[in-house]
């Protein structure tokens, strides 16, 4: 499936692809085409820029027959109006030679005009959850003819709090349908949604690359607990030349806020996560971009929109639970061939996660000695230090703070085995079935 010709798509679609100038399918397109066309439930983990929109549009359009029926058979749900517009544009570009009726709906616009457009008849409807649900409630939009449901940017969708709207919409859909999900990062929310309503989905994970980029140097520190991690951070960040533009990843909004409070470089630090107002987020990013703030604390999901040059260092304050998120994180530094640096903090409970990352990259992250000048705190957080918010919390992800003796133990013998879990085991727990590594890194060695 290395060529669009292998897809055996109808010539109207093929011609449109040629005219768009696409030479060959991207890895996610190669991986998803037959599965989606075959009608299976599908989960694609791929970032924007991988060609994921066309990855689901192509098999859907291939399968779509000319219809003059009034109600849509394909529903695409996305978190933002910008995305609705982009997707409808991509459909238009793919269908100049096909008679397909597609409509985008989103809030903040006149619902009457949208109702009118729906009454004219539709094949594909693309929308944000709230507006879509409002339209379904009016009965103008009938969802009982939907055969394929796509949810794009699932992680953002759930992070924006659309879970209830999604559930409400699901109730209007026929039970027998194909579900297609795309998300850039894995989170527990996404996992739960997948577990909750998909039937044995085929999962494909496309990371930017399974191997680390050569221009990004990687290192790590074993650190026992939250406050010692913060002490080390305060120590390292004193060197303003070396750490000239630093993106710090944390796993939750709580950790982001807590860290913001205890970092010493107050005026130089910004923080973004999804509970902050859009205005605040834009300002934080702008300040980081133009250099007013040197340090930006961010969560995985919300950092998506950040495309900033010259980030000197990416620091993973928490080891990400999903190894592919680490690859996304470190890809923020070392852009455009510049040198980049990645530093990973891990505690005892995060060792297995670090190993999963190393297994994914086939690379062992070098280990730094803990600087003697930095105080090792014995203070544990009042609550169990868990990288996930309490309402996201479940046992499989729990990582507690551990005592101060940990870093000494690790520094003495970094190879010491402490509650090691194999990557296979983590995957097995995650996906509830054995997954071979070869299944996972789809684009590795494909360049
Ligand atoms: P997406 O990841 O869906 O946001 O797509 C990112 C961009 O890649 C869009 O502008 C697409 O038009 C473009 N694109 C999608 N598939 C291909 C392909 N096979 N070859 C070249 N560009 C593509």
């Amino acid at each position: 499936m290395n060529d669009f010709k292998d897809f055996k798509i109808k010539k109207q679609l093929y011609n449109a692809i040629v005219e768009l100038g696409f030479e060959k399918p991207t890895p996610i397109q190669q991986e998803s085409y037959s599965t989606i066309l075959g009608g299976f439930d599908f989960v694609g983990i791929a970032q924007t820029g991988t060609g994921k929109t066309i990855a689901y549009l192509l098999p859907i359009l291939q399968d779509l027959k000319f219809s003059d029926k009034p109600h849509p058979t394909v529903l695409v749900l996305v978190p933002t109006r910008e995305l609705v517009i982009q997707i409808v544009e991509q459909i238009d570009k793919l269908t100049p030679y096909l008679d397909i009726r597609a409509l985008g709906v989103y809030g903040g616009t006149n619902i009457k005009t949208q109702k009118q457009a729906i009454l004219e008849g539709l094949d594909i409807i693309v929308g944000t959850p709230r507006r879509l649900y409002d339209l379904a409630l009016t009965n103008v939009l009938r969802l009982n003819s939907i055969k394929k449901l796509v949810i794009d940017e699932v992680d953002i969708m759930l992070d924006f709090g659309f879970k209830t709207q999604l559930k409400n919409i699901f109730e209007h859909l026929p039970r027998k349908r194909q579900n297609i999900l795309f998300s850039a990062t894995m989170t527990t929310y996404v996992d739960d949604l997948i577990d909750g309503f998909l039937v044995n989905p085929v999962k494909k994970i496309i990371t930017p690359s399974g191997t680390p980029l050569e221009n990004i140097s990687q290192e790590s520190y074993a650190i026992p607990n939250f406050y010692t991690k913060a002490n080390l951070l305060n120590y390292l960040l004193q060197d303003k030349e070396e750490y000239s533009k630093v993106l710090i990843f944390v796993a939750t909004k709580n950790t982001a806020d807590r860290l913001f409070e205890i970092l010493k470089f107050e005026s130089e630090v910004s923080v973004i996560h999804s509970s902050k107002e859009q205005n605040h987020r834009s300002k934080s990013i702008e300040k980081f971009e133009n250099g007013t703030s040197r340090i930006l604390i961010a969560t995985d999901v919300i950092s998506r929109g950040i495309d900033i040059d010259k980030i000197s260092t990416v620091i993973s304050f928490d080891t990400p639970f999903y190894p592919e998120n680490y690859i996304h994180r470190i890809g923020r530094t070392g852009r455009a061939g510049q040198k980049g640096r990645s530093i990973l903090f891990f505690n005892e409970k995060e060792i297995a996660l670090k190993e999963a990352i190393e297994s994914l990259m086939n690379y062992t992250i070098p280990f730094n000695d803990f600087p003697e000048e930095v105080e090792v705190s014995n203070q544990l957080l009042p609550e169990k230090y868990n990288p996930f918010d309490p309402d996201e919390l479940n046992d499989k992800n729990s990582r507690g703070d551990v005592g101060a003796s940990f870093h000494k133990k690790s520094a003495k013998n970094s190879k010491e085995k402490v509650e090691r879990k194999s990557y296979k085991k983590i995957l097995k727990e995650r996906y509830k079935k054995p997954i071979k590594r070869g299944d996972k890194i789809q684009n590795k060695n494909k360049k």
Side-chain angles (χ1 to χ4, degrees):
M1 300 292 262
N2 212 357
D3 194 307
F4 281 113
K5 281 211 170 93
D6 301 333
F7 287 8
K8 301 200 171 56
I9 40 178
K10 39 195 172 200
K11 70 173 185 317
Q12 295 96 323
L13 264 179
Y14 184 77
N15 289 344
I17 295 248
V18 171
E19 280 168 27
L20 280 169
F22 298 169
E23 284 169 10
K24 63 189 208 100
T26 65
I28 188 72
Q29 291 163 3
Q30 295 177 29
E31 295 301 336
S32 59
Y33 184 76
S34 327
T35 312
I36 296 179
L37 190 65
F40 298 98
D41 276 4
F42 182 87
V43 180
I45 305 295
Q47 286 208 310
T48 305
T50 52
K52 68 186 170 68
T53 317
I54 305 253
Y56 59 80
L57 287 181
L58 212 52
I60 285 176
L61 292 170
Q62 171 69 13
D63 196 40
L64 207 59
K65 315 253 171 344
F66 169 79
S67 154
D68 54 6
K69 297 223 169 73
H71 303 298
T73 54
V74 179
L75 167 62
V76 183
L77 291 170
V78 297
T80 63
R81 76 168 72 176
E82 289 80 9
L83 217 61
V84 172
I85 294 167
Q86 270 177 41
I87 291 167
V88 173
E89 271 173 15
Q90 298 228 34
I91 297 173
D92 287 346
K93 282 184 188 159
L94 286 173
T95 56
Y97 309 116
L98 288 170
D99 203 358
I100 300 288
R101 301 160 304 166
L103 177 72
V105 295
Y106 42 81
T109 46
N110 191 337
I111 196 165
K112 271 197 195 144
T113 324
Q114 291 174 354
K115 280 188 196 164
Q116 197 52 45
I118 292 168
L119 286 171
E120 285 170 22
L122 279 180
D123 299 300
I124 305 177
I125 185 151
V126 185
T128 47
R130 227 166 255 136
R131 177 53 60 98
L132 204 287
Y133 186 58
D134 287 347
L135 284 163
L137 286 181
T138 65
N139 254 339
V140 172
L141 175 65
R142 297 270 171 81
L143 295 179
N144 54 7
S145 50
I146 295 293
K147 294 197 168 69
K148 295 176 201 289
L149 166 69
V150 180
I151 311 181
D152 199 352
E153 307 256 342
V154 180
D155 49 355
I156 301 250
M157 194 86 109
L158 297 175
D159 209 55
F160 279 8
F162 281 136
K163 194 169 184 178
T164 315
Q165 276 84 11
L166 288 180
K167 288 227 157 112
N168 290 341
I169 293 170
F170 295 165
E171 278 171 21
H172 282 68
L173 299 172
R175 287 183 76 117
K176 197 166 169 297
R177 60 170 193 262
Q178 182 184 14
N179 300 295
I180 302 158
L181 264 59
F182 277 84
S183 183
T185 47
M186 283 300 292
T187 67
T188 37
Y189 278 149
V190 178
D191 248 2
D192 288 349
L193 193 80
I194 291 169
D195 287 349
F197 93 119
L198 299 197
V199 190
N200 297 326
V202 177
K203 232 178 235 177
K204 297 287 177 186
I205 297 179
I206 303 292
T207 57
S209 165
T211 40
L213 295 169
E214 274 170 17
N215 52 329
I216 303 171
S217 69
Q218 299 185 62
E219 52 204 279
S220 64
Y221 287 94
I223 313 170
N225 50 40
F226 177 88
Y227 287 103
T228 311
K229 284 183 175 183
N231 288 349
L232 178 62
L233 208 47
N234 272 325
Y235 171 79
L236 295 175
L237 294 176
Q238 291 176 95
D239 186 344
K240 297 192 181 183
E241 213 170 294
E242 177 62 37
Y243 297 92
S244 57
K245 204 167 202 168
V246 185
L247 182 55
I248 302 174
F249 281 101
V250 293
T252 68
K253 303 168 200 173
N254 282 345
T255 313
D257 287 334
R258 195 187 288 266
L259 189 61
F260 179 67
E261 277 164 28
I262 58 176
L263 276 191
K264 285 181 182 157
F265 314 90
E266 206 178 307
S267 61
E268 298 175 72
V269 189
S270 295
V271 59
I272 51 163
H273 56 64
S274 61
S275 295
K276 301 275 183 199
E277 295 284 318
Q278 178 63 44
N279 206 6
H280 171 102
R281 283 190 248 153
S282 313
K283 271 203 190 124
S284 292
I285 293 176
E286 198 184 307
K287 273 161 70 184
F288 187 57
E289 198 161 20
N290 68 23
T292 317
S293 48
R294 179 167 64 100
I295 300 155
L296 182 66
I297 305 171
T299 51
D300 283 298
V301 169
I302 211 66
S303 74
R304 183 91 46 83
I306 308 175
D307 185 12
I308 294 174
D309 275 349
K310 298 201 171 75
I311 291 178
S312 65
T313 320
V314 165
I315 298 181
S316 293
F317 188 85
D318 295 307
T319 307
F321 183 74
Y322 297 98
E324 55 272 20
N325 288 0
Y326 176 81
I327 314 261
H328 292 317
R329 287 180 180 187
I330 72 170
R332 301 313 168 91
T333 179
R335 296 226 159 181
Q338 291 161 358
K339 280 212 175 322
R341 184 175 178 194
S342 158
I343 305 176
L344 173 73
F345 289 1
F346 66 97
N347 69 23
E348 193 167 2
K349 296 271 169 68
E350 292 170 321
I351 290 177
L353 306 179
K354 175 171 169 280
E355 286 178 348
I357 293 166
E358 293 175 336
S359 174
L360 176 69
M361 298 189 297
N362 198 15
Y363 174 78
T364 306
I365 305 169
F367 186 80
N368 286 341
D369 285 338
F370 193 84
E372 278 174 9
E373 304 90 313
V374 177
E375 189 194 337
V376 175
S377 172
N378 282 313
Q379 189 185 351
L380 300 183
L381 288 173
E383 75 278 21
K384 200 172 170 198
Y385 168 40
N386 193 295
F388 294 89
D389 283 342
D391 60 339
E392 292 171 57
L393 191 139
N394 54 39
D395 280 337
K396 71 181 172 194
N397 297 322
S398 96
R399 288 182 259 165
D401 256 11
V402 290
S405 63
F406 162 66
H407 94 272
K408 290 181 195 137
K409 200 163 59 180
S410 304
K412 248 193 269 157
N413 181 5
S414 65
K415 291 199 184 81
E416 190 174 350
K417 297 222 169 199
V418 192
E419 206 191 277
R420 289 195 173 206
K421 242 191 231 171
S422 74
Y423 184 52
K424 247 197 216 148
K425 194 165 171 212
I426 291 184
L427 284 178
K428 200 174 164 193
E429 280 175 12
R430 262 170 63 183
Y431 298 131
K432 308 205 169 46
K433 61 176 185 193
I435 288 191
K436 294 195 290 290
R437 274 202 71 211
D439 290 343
K440 202 173 170 304
I441 312 162
Q442 302 302 334
N443 61 342
K444 210 178 168 188
N445 307 327
K446 272 194 183 152
K447 294 235 154 132

